[in-house]
Every structure is written in structure tokens, then in C-alpha cells.
Amino acid sequence: MSSLSKLTLARACSLIQVATVGMFSIYEVTHMSDRGLSGSAIGILLAIENALLLASGPLWGWVADRFSCYRQLVSASALGLAFALYWLSQAESLADFAIYVVLRGFLFSAMASTMTALAMVNLSSSTPGRGFSAYRTFGSIGFMSGSFLFPILFSKIDHILLAGACILPLCLFFVLQLENPPRRSKEEKTVGSSPIPAAAWLFLAAHFVVSITEPGNLGFLNDYVRVLGGSTQLVGWYSALTGLMALISLPLMGRWVDARGLYWVLALGFLSQAIRPFVIASIPDPNWLWLSHACHAFGWAGREVGSLILMISLLGAQRRATAVSLIVAVRMAGTMVGSYLMGTWAEAYGYPKMFTNISLIAMASLPLLFLALKSKRTAAA
């Protein structure tokens, strides 16, 4: 099978999976609230869900790499998440939602990390940046399409969730045509169980620090637009602009990584993401906050592509799923810390001061990144 047809299969998987599984993050809180759960109960459930996501991600990555079972793990998690969508649509009580958060918390990271690793196995190894960006772009298209089309087709949240539950298993038709990585020899398993290098730990530390800014890309930015007097339509326009920037910049960043290497892409990506909150804090007019989206090209797309390629190069191709799962888990941990800090500081000091403080913290990611890149060069010398 040619690399082009494998890319088509991987793209189809990403489109279907993100379009349907994306409904969790969009509707779960609203659905819980509509069923009468209190704010404190919802907060506890989400905390349990996030804790399971953090803990299970590296575990699934290890299982996938150890047994070379990428395809089987993605297939099983897709079926499990389809059932979780169905269960969420029918949930009424606190106990029902507790079962849902355990299902999603335990299974989501299996799909999120292992599907990306499976795609990388089946794409051209000579142009990994271009291959990953082409695959990842269809995830963005899927999320935008699902967010736009499902509410038009279905007026009730439970019907949207049921539709997602019915559509998600269709991805198995494409998943099962992709190839697993070859089973590893005893020598390769020994290499795969070797300690994670210092450069990887330094990079993950930098990744955690800069991920603290993530909640400001959409959620807190959208609220700031409303605080400044912006309309709901303007909020929607900014959200659409974020998706458009991702679609445009992902292929460009992938080509840049393949042509020029990942060092400058990562440096500019971390710098752009670190200064993005400061740019937001510096603009008092909601109609001009779109300028902060200029940081999205490097700050999100460049960082997304560069981080994946770097971590796989540091851990080795035999630990692709572990590399992806660590990136996802660390980003999630940073986002959780960022959400708490942003919410607390916005209430205490106001949005401009909050965004400025977050930007200053995120700048600490740059020396950690440079130490990681220097350590990688030293190890390769």
C-alpha cells in the first residue's frame, strides 16, 4: 500500500474520531448541568476524569509500544468511547455520570496517543513533519465540522451524543487497514525499556510550563472579549479564526520542520505561545484581539509538529506511543494548572494583569527548551 493511500486512511480516522469524540469536551458540562448536577458535583467529576486521563495516558503508551498493538488499542478504545457517548446521552443521576467519567477518563488517552503513533508508523519516514501535519489537519477539520453540523442536524444534546456514538465506530473501517509497527526483538525491547534521556525530561518540563497558557487561547480569551463589551458573534468569529489559522499553518509548519529542522520551529513556537497572553493583555479593544491569533501559527501549530518529532527522536521510533502519551499528559497537566491560576488571578486582579502574569511564567519555558535542545545535540555528538 502506498504512503498516499495510508495518509488517506489516517486522515479519515482523524476526521471521524475528532468530529465525534470532540462532542465530549463541548457538551459534557452542559449536559451534566441540564440534568440537575450542582457546580461542585460537576467539578469533582471533571477532576476525577482529568486524573484518569493523566494517569492512563503513559500506561496506554507503554502497552502499545511493548506489544506493538497500536491498531488493536485504537479499535478497542473507539468502541469503548462510542459506548461512553451513548452512556452520556442516557445519563440522569450522579452515579450515571460517575460511570461516564471513568469510561472517558480511562479510554480517551488510549485513542488520543495511540492513533497519532499509528498514523506516524504508516506515513513516510523521510518527511515526518509534512506527514503528521497533513494527518493532524483533518482532525481540525473534523472538530470544526462536528461543532458546526451536529447542532444544525440535531436540536437536543442527547441526540447529538447518540449521533456521535453511531458514527465513531465507522473509523474502524479505516483503522483496520493501517499497519501495526513490527514486533520488536528482545534487543529492541531492551532498548525500549531504557531510561528516558535527560533531554526528554527537560523538554517535558518546558512543555508543561508553556502549556499553562493553553486555557487562554480560547476559554479565557472568549470571556475577556465579552468583558470588554464584545458580542457573542465576535466570540464565535474568533473561535473560527483559531481553526482557520490551524488549517493554514499546520501544513506550513510540517514542511518547515522537514526542510529546515525542528529547532527554529520549536524556539519560535514556545516564544510565540509565551508572549501570546501579553499580546492579549496589551489590547483594550475587543475588535482588535484577533491580532493575538497571529501567534497561533508557531505557538500552536509549530509547537504541535515540533514537539511530536522531537520526542519521538529522543525516545526512539520503538517508543512512539509513549512519546505521544507523555506529550499529551504533560500538556493536560499544564492546562489544569493554568486553568486554576487564570481563574484565580482574573478574579483577584482582572484580566490584563492575569494575562501578563501568565506570560511571564511561560517565558521560563524558553531556557528549559534551550537546555533540552543543547542536551540532545550533546548526546548526538
Side-chain angles (χ1 to χ4, degrees):
M1 185 182 292
S2 69
S3 293
L4 179 61
S5 58
K6 289 180 181 178
L7 175 60
T8 302
L9 292 171
R11 281 173 159 177
C13 293
S14 184
L15 180 73
I16 294 171
Q17 290 168 0
V18 179
T20 53
V21 175
M23 297 306 102
F24 286 128
S25 59
I26 294 175
Y27 295 112
E28 63 179 358
V29 173
T30 303
H31 194 53
M32 291 177 186
S33 179
D34 288 347
R35 292 296 184 267
L37 269 65
S38 65
S40 59
I42 292 173
I44 292 172
L45 288 172
L46 293 182
I48 295 172
E49 182 181 301
N50 288 327
L52 287 170
L53 287 167
L54 282 171
S56 62
L59 172 63
W60 288 126
W62 179 85
V63 169
D65 288 331
R66 180 70 176 175
F67 300 103
S68 300
C69 57
Y70 292 13
R71 188 174 57 196
Q72 293 88 337
L73 197 52
V74 171
S75 300
S77 60
L79 292 174
L81 287 170
F83 178 74
L85 279 165
Y86 165 76
W87 187 272
L88 178 61
S89 72
Q90 304 300 307
E92 296 283 348
S93 65
L94 179 62
D96 292 338
F97 286 110
I99 294 172
Y100 154 73
V101 299
V102 171
L103 288 171
R104 192 207 170 193
F106 196 61
L107 293 173
F108 177 78
S109 53
M111 174 182 284
S113 57
T114 312
M115 183 61 228
T116 299
L118 178 63
M120 294 300 290
V121 169
N122 285 270
L123 300 178
S124 173
S125 59
S126 61
T127 55
R130 182 180 301 183
F132 170 70
S133 62
Y135 155 77
R136 183 64 181 80
T137 297
F138 270 66
S140 297
I141 294 173
F143 185 78
M144 293 172 65
S145 301
S147 301
F148 178 73
L149 292 176
F150 279 128
I152 292 177
L153 297 173
F154 306 99
S155 59
K156 295 182 178 181
I157 291 178
D158 54 342
H159 292 170
I160 292 174
L161 297 171
L162 281 172
C166 294
I167 294 172
L168 178 55
L170 297 178
C171 76
L172 268 64
F173 174 79
F174 304 101
V175 170
L176 294 176
Q177 296 184 65
L178 295 171
E179 297 177 5
N180 270 328
R183 287 193 172 273
R184 293 184 291 166
S185 64
K186 290 184 178 180
E187 292 77 11
E188 289 174 322
K189 287 183 179 180
T190 301
V191 173
S193 61
S194 60
I196 295 175
W201 288 119
L202 286 167
F203 176 75
L204 289 172
H207 185 50
F208 169 80
V209 174
V210 81
S211 294
I212 290 174
T213 64
E214 294 275 359
N217 291 353
L218 284 175
F220 284 96
L221 171 63
N222 291 343
D223 192 50
Y224 186 44
V225 171
R226 298 298 303 273
V227 168
L228 291 177
S231 65
T232 302
Q233 289 79 6
L234 185 61
V235 170
W237 188 82
Y238 282 158
S239 298
L241 182 60
T242 302
L244 180 62
M245 287 293 295
L247 290 177
I248 294 172
S249 54
L250 269 171
L252 295 177
M253 295 299 110
R255 291 168 186 262
W256 187 338
V257 167
D258 290 336
R260 304 283 183 177
L262 53 80
Y263 292 97
W264 276 108
V265 169
L266 280 172
L268 291 172
F270 274 67
L271 178 62
S272 297
Q273 187 62 22
I275 66 173
R276 186 173 185 172
F278 181 76
V279 173
I280 296 171
S282 304
I283 300 174
D285 186 341
N287 296 302
W288 287 94
L289 281 171
W290 61 268
L291 290 171
S292 67
H293 285 68
C295 299
H296 201 64
F298 281 100
W300 182 80
R303 199 161 49 91
E304 183 86 355
V305 177
S307 296
L308 178 76
I309 304 302
L310 177 65
M311 279 297 292
I312 291 178
S313 70
L314 289 171
L315 269 63
Q318 68 271 22
R319 289 195 284 183
R320 290 184 186 91
T322 300
V324 178
S325 66
L326 287 173
I327 291 173
V328 172
V330 169
R331 175 187 293 142
M332 189 174 301
T335 300
M336 291 170 62
V337 172
S339 296
Y340 173 78
L341 292 177
M342 287 187 180
T344 302
W345 289 347
E347 184 176 350
Y349 308 115
Y351 273 101
K353 183 69 173 177
M354 177 274 285
F355 280 122
T356 301
N357 290 342
I358 289 294
S359 185
L360 291 173
I361 292 175
M363 293 297 288
S365 67
L366 294 174
L368 291 169
L369 173 66
F370 293 141
L371 286 173
L373 297 178
K374 181 180 179 180
S375 178
K376 181 180 185 298
R377 283 173 168 165
T378 302

